Amino acid sequence: MYQMVPGGPMSTVGSTAPIKQNLARDRRPLLGAGLLGLILIIAAVTAWCYYIASLAKADLLKTELLDLNRDGFLIRNQAGAIVFRMAFRSGNLDLDSCSKEGEILSCTRSSTGSLNFFIQTVRPKDTVMCYRVRWEELTSENPVEHAMSYNGSYWYGGAETSIQHWPISITGQQAPTPFVTSDVYSNRHSFGGILERYWLSSKASAIKINDSVPFHLGWNDTEKVLYFQARYQDSPYKPTPGQPPFAELSYRVCVGSDVTSIHKYMVRRYFNKPNKVPSMDMFRYPIWSTWALHKKDIDQEKLVSYAANIKKYNFNCSQLQLDDCYTSGYGEFDFDPIKFPNASAMFQKLKADGVHVSLWIHPFINYDSPNFRVGVEKGLFVREPTGQLPALVRWWNGVGSILDFTNPAAREWFGSHLRALRSKYGVTSFKFDAGETSYLPWQFSTYVPLNDPSTFTRRYSEMAIPFNDRAELRVGYQSQNISCFFRLIDRDSVWGYELGLKSLIPTVLTISILGYQFILPDMIGGNVYPNYTEGSGKLPDRELYIRWLELSAFMPSMQFSIPPWEYDADVIQIARRFTALHESIVAPRVLELAGEVLATGDPIIRPLWWIATNDETAYKIDSQFLIGDDLMVAPVLEPGKQERDIYLPTGRWRSYKGSPQLMLLPHTAIA
């Protein structure tokens, strides 16, 4: 039934059609408004759902003090400051594939395909937070690469290098290369013979790369990042036999309250410890080597004369080191009868005079040595990839093969010759030279397959264990438990940071942080190599020699080769004074700290920030160091200088001027 309403001027009573048409028109705005309202409600509900989902996802991707994003993660300290940043360079995470169960956050896809990824949160103690990170590709061609930002902090650790700075200072760009032990004297752009997959920052964060990773390291100084890469392609690393060659980058990041405490935690958790302290005499008295003075021209007469002069000029001697070229060839284990016509009598005389003799030794058997045929017949050498033939390698003294120290037969054969030298002549110990991975072929085969080539360095360093009371190594990889002295690679007789005097403190601090505490800082004055010597070329520059001597007196051990009497009476007197100071003041403190190393692994030689963790300046000092917590050394390292500025961290300090009584104060500075 329709209701009648008045019409317009043209309407008539009872006319209904125009009325219905007007009603339809009037309802359209209402329907449009309702539809719009419905759309707005749906949009609001959808937005709310997305908001709730995003909150849930954001909560999912946060774990304690760590935020995960598609392209990396960051870690904060307890105060909320960002202390660690890592970016994913080989692919972005698909965050929709991520889930969280307990303390483990995991993802299954990235922009490059399927993967296994997780971050696990571990709180080992109240002041430390750790994260286990693992990214495994499921396609063999794909490497994994993460980029660790400097994040405005100072970094330490990694490896011995030819140009050594403290903190780490790198220039330019370097694509990731195998992080394996190398001879940085021969190849100055490689990583050194002592290295560990460990870095520490001034913002109290530390990272340890897992042993299983086919690890490559690169950097970009413009972006201020280190590249951590895992890959098997074009690499000396090998996957575990029977396993697919899927690259896996796994590591642990730990954050603490300060740099010293987090380092202490990492050392106790991840590093081996030595099980004994080497001979006390090696700490107290200098080692004397024939190398820099005589090179390969050493013979019986020169050795006996050298020993006599040590006594003549009133110096003590922990041991006399007979270096290269005392045998007839490289690969033999007895004395050259021409150069040493009566070696047995020589050793008897030296023993009667109280002189301990150590011999230079190496892992090579040259092809022209009679023992080369023995090694081939017995299968004692590292082989080429097929395993059928011994691999020939070139080293600084010729061409030959390198003993395979993964082979028990090779270890026994080599060890038996060393024991025979000790038994026949009374040889005290050995200077184990070489051992770097860089002397292996790029592709090789060993008795026990090596997934990580640097494991070869570890196997070689183990050969020093029976002689470790007085033994010396120049390589170390996971070798901190071997209780012998670790020697810095050969130094040039120059002032600078490239294998020169200024490199000593940064290098000693670096390998100390890597867990190697019984340190031999190589020969006083350097090795006097041609074209790498300040001075006449026959001797190191006199001033350089004196400054080197003064610095070495405050190291755990001292080593002479160029003797003080090659200069003049004043240099002899300076040498006597500083060797006496080392014996009476430094060695007792070092030996005390050496005993603590067995339990703690703490450095003997320490950076200034060890006792000044909130001191920005202390993080940058590379020309001063601590012995323990209470003796600071600040040597003069510049030519022509008689004085220098010294930075003193907060505390009470007293200058040591030669009076032992001053050592009783809590902190002592020596300049």
Side-chain angles (χ1 to χ4, degrees):
M1 179 176 179
Y2 295 104
Q3 179 182 3
M4 298 298 184
V5 295
M10 300 297 293
S11 65
T12 59
V13 177
S15 176
T16 61
I19 300 297
K20 293 174 67 177
Q21 194 174 26
N22 289 338
L23 284 172
R25 289 174 181 162
D26 292 339
R27 287 174 178 170
R28 285 176 184 173
L30 294 175
L31 291 172
L35 182 61
L36 178 61
L38 179 61
I39 292 172
L40 290 174
I41 291 171
I42 293 172
V45 171
T46 302
W48 177 255
C49 291
Y50 274 111
Y51 175 68
I52 295 299
S54 65
L55 288 179
K57 179 61 70 174
D59 184 62
L60 167 69
L61 298 179
K62 287 181 180 290
T63 184
E64 195 168 358
L65 303 179
L66 183 146
D67 295 347
L68 175 66
N69 300 298
R70 62 191 297 271
D71 56 356
F73 65 90
L74 59 85
I75 300 173
R76 305 176 190 273
N77 61 17
Q78 295 289 350
I82 297 173
V83 295
F84 187 89
R85 291 180 183 271
M86 186 73 86
F88 304 144
R89 284 177 50 88
S90 50
N92 294 326
L93 289 176
D94 179 353
L95 299 183
D96 290 334
S97 74
C98 299
S99 61
K100 188 174 182 182
E101 182 175 347
E103 298 299 328
I104 300 178
L105 195 163
S106 59
C107 308
T108 58
R109 292 193 306 274
S110 75
S111 57
T112 61
S114 299
L115 83 161
N116 290 326
F117 173 85
F118 75 79
I119 294 179
Q120 180 181 11
T121 304
V122 181
R123 184 188 283 275
K125 53 192 298 188
D126 290 342
T127 58
V128 175
M129 182 69 73
C130 293
Y131 305 90
R132 296 177 58 221
V133 182
R134 180 173 182 264
W135 181 307
E136 181 188 17
E137 287 288 339
L138 298 181
T139 303
S140 60
E141 293 80 15
N142 292 347
V144 184
E145 186 174 311
H146 293 178
M148 185 182 75
S149 169
Y150 295 1
N151 196 40
S153 57
Y154 303 103
W155 286 89
Y156 314 92
E160 177 186 23
T161 54
S162 61
I163 301 175
Q164 199 93 47
H165 291 285
W166 179 272
I168 293 172
S169 176
I170 53 179
T171 58
Q173 300 180 23
Q174 172 64 59
T177 59
F179 191 69
V180 295
T181 58
S182 302
D183 179 353
V184 292
Y185 197 88
S186 299
N187 184 357
R188 302 200 176 197
H189 298 290
S190 60
F191 307 111
I194 298 176
L195 58 72
E196 299 293 335
R197 303 170 169 196
Y198 172 70
W199 287 267
L200 174 73
S201 94
S202 58
K203 291 188 176 179
S205 59
I207 182 169
K208 175 69 171 64
I209 309 296
N210 286 8
D211 297 342
S212 60
V213 173
F215 182 54
H216 298 67
L217 178 69
W219 56 82
N220 186 318
D221 190 42
T222 302
E223 298 178 2
K224 303 298 182 185
V225 295
L226 293 177
Y227 299 140
F228 296 159
Q229 187 189 81
R231 75 170 192 264
Y232 289 109
Q233 282 71 34
D234 188 30
S235 169
Y237 293 98
K238 300 176 182 178
T240 301
Q243 297 296 318
F246 295 159
E248 172 197 326
L249 182 59
S250 54
Y251 49 89
R252 291 167 172 81
V253 180
C254 292
V255 177
S257 56
D258 63 78
V259 61
T260 300
S261 64
I262 194 62
H263 177 67
K264 285 173 173 279
Y265 169 78
M266 297 297 285
V267 167
R268 286 158 176 73
R269 177 67 179 82
Y270 297 115
F271 285 176
N272 297 315
K273 311 294 184 302
N275 55 24
K276 59 177 287 189
V277 177
S279 167
M280 292 184 180
D281 285 353
M282 297 280 284
F283 293 93
R284 289 173 176 153
Y285 311 129
I287 301 166
W288 298 80
S289 169
T290 63
W291 175 246
L293 181 64
H294 294 298
K295 299 294 191 298
K296 294 184 180 183
D297 292 333
I298 189 65
D299 58 30
Q300 182 169 328
E301 181 181 352
K302 290 175 181 176
L303 181 66
V304 172
S305 175
Y306 194 19
N309 279 332
I310 296 171
K311 183 176 181 180
K312 172 184 174 181
Y313 289 102
N314 296 317
F315 287 98
N316 287 320
C317 174
S318 63
Q319 64 186 32
L320 176 57
Q321 198 171 82
L322 176 54
D323 214 286
D324 192 359
C325 218
Y326 60 88
T327 63
S328 299
Y330 295 108
E332 299 174 36
F333 296 89
D334 209 341
F335 288 87
D336 182 339
I338 298 175
K339 300 178 74 174
F340 294 86
N342 198 340
S344 295
M346 177 187 73
F347 273 92
Q348 290 174 4
K349 173 66 167 60
L350 292 171
K351 182 178 180 181
D353 291 339
V355 178
H356 297 276
V357 179
S358 173
L359 297 181
W360 177 79
I361 202 71
H362 56 85
F364 306 101
I365 309 294
N366 277 10
Y367 73 92
D368 55 356
S369 167
N371 280 326
F372 186 81
R373 179 176 179 178
V374 175
V376 172
E377 292 174 348
K378 294 180 177 290
L380 305 180
F381 297 135
V382 172
R383 300 180 298 280
E384 44 78 42
T386 68
Q388 301 301 310
L389 297 172
L392 289 179
V393 299
R394 181 177 295 278
W395 62 299
W396 67 90
N397 277 327
V399 176
S401 288
I402 189 167
L403 290 165
D404 180 2
F405 293 104
T406 74
N407 185 345
R411 295 168 69 90
E412 172 57 29
W413 184 83
F414 184 71
S416 68
H417 282 291
L418 303 189
R419 293 191 297 271
L421 285 166
R422 184 170 61 180
S423 175
K424 182 177 181 179
Y425 298 109
V427 171
T428 300
S429 192
F430 298 92
K431 170 186 176 178
F432 290 83
D433 212 355
E436 295 91 349
T437 300
S438 56
Y439 288 108
L440 296 172
W442 178 252
Q443 296 294 331
F444 61 90
S445 172
T446 50
Y447 182 85
V448 176
L450 298 179
N451 299 341
D452 177 357
S454 291
T455 305
F456 180 85
T457 292
R458 165 70 193 183
R459 298 284 88 86
Y460 177 59
S461 64
E462 290 169 349
M463 299 306 299
I465 292 176
F467 313 98
N468 60 13
D469 199 42
R470 291 174 174 268
E472 171 190 322
L473 282 161
R474 83 172 196 188
V475 292
Y477 177 67
Q478 302 175 4
S479 306
Q480 298 94 336
N481 64 319
I482 297 176
S483 303
C484 69
F485 279 88
F486 287 84
R487 174 177 68 89
L488 275 55
I489 193 68
D490 299 30
R491 302 286 115 174
D492 291 329
S493 301
V494 296
W495 289 91
Y497 284 100
E498 184 173 350
L499 298 175
L501 176 61
K502 289 183 181 178
S503 71
L504 282 182
I505 296 174
T507 307
V508 169
L509 290 173
T510 296
I511 65 176
S512 293
I513 287 296
L514 299 179
Y516 298 89
Q517 311 308 341
F518 307 141
I519 299 171
L520 177 61
D522 203 44
M523 301 169 189
I524 292 168
N527 287 263
V528 203
Y529 291 132
N531 303 321
Y532 294 98
T533 299
E534 296 276 359
S536 66
K538 295 182 179 179
L539 292 176
D541 174 73
R542 182 179 184 276
E543 182 186 7
L544 174 66
Y545 182 86
I546 292 170
R547 294 307 188 194
W548 208 305
L549 165 62
E550 292 168 347
L551 171 55
S552 294
F554 295 95
M555 292 293 175
S557 59
M558 300 179 70
Q559 185 177 51
F560 286 100
S561 186
I562 299 295
W565 54 85
E566 289 292 311
Y567 291 93
D568 51 52
D570 287 343
V571 174
I572 294 172
Q573 285 301 113
I574 293 170
R576 285 176 182 159
R577 176 191 170 198
F578 277 89
T579 54
L581 187 150
H582 177 86
E583 180 181 339
S584 62
I585 301 297
V586 178
R589 181 65 177 130
V590 167
L591 282 166
E592 181 182 4
L593 294 165
E596 297 174 6
V597 168
L598 308 186
T600 67
D602 289 349
I604 294 173
I605 304 299
R606 301 173 182 177
L608 263 60
W609 53 250
W610 191 266
I611 61 169
T613 57
N614 294 318
D615 188 334
E616 181 78 6
T617 301
Y619 288 117
K620 300 180 287 184
I621 300 294
D622 70 348
S623 62
Q624 299 173 217
F625 60 92
L626 298 166
I627 303 174
D629 287 347
D630 51 7
L631 179 60
M632 184 175 70
V633 182
V636 175
L637 303 175
E638 297 284 347
K641 300 291 185 181
Q642 300 298 319
E643 59 184 19
R644 59 158 293 169
D645 293 333
I646 299 175
Y647 184 74
L648 297 177
T650 301
R652 294 179 62 245
W653 293 91
R654 178 71 63 87
S655 175
Y656 174 73
K657 296 295 184 182
S659 172
Q661 287 80 0
L662 294 177
M663 297 298 292
L664 299 176
L665 292 174
H667 296 293
T668 302
I670 294 180

